[in-house]
Amino acid sequence: MTDPALELRQITKRFDAQTVVDRVDLVVPRNEVVGLVGESGSGKTTTGLMALRLIEPTGGKILLGGQDITGLSQKDLKPFRRQMQVVFQD
């Protein structure tokens, strides 16, 4: 069985005292399109930006192709970012 293209495990983001994304699990299978939907202010954009590591998560893990990219430096992230893209509704 192949690893998912992207996997978020218990991903969390807190800004000051406010938790905006709380322990989200998400698996995106290879060669699949996944839409993340929810009410305004529910954390969709923050989740997408954390998956790209454009916003650092407060907790959890981000795996791309089975490799943990959560703690990689910005320099080490460059080859992975070529494989990633978020398409916003707007």
Side-chain angles (χ1 to χ4, degrees):
M1 183 174 180
T2 62
D3 290 318
L6 175 68
E7 187 173 357
L8 305 180
R9 293 183 184 167
Q10 298 291 297
I11 202 80
T12 300
K13 183 61 182 178
R14 289 183 196 89
F15 292 104
D16 298 320
Q18 183 180 10
T19 300
V20 294
V21 175
D22 192 18
R23 298 182 312 248
V24 169
D25 290 317
L26 176 71
V27 177
V28 179
R30 290 187 184 275
N31 303 314
E32 296 288 331
V33 176
V34 173
L36 187 58
V37 297
E39 295 180 18
S40 178
S42 64
K44 302 175 301 291
T45 297
T46 302
T47 300
L49 293 175
M50 283 192 296
L52 293 171
R53 289 269 322 275
L54 295 173
I55 293 177
E56 294 297 325
T58 306
K61 290 188 182 248
I62 304 164
L63 292 97
L64 187 65
Q67 186 168 348
D68 188 352
I69 66 166
T70 312
L72 293 181
S73 69
Q74 293 299 311
K75 178 184 173 188
D76 292 337
L77 274 173
K78 283 186 181 185
F80 292 98
R81 286 213 170 118
R82 293 183 187 115
Q83 304 171 45
M84 302 163 60
Q85 180 179 4
V86 172
V87 179
F88 295 101
Q89 178 180 343
D90 296 350

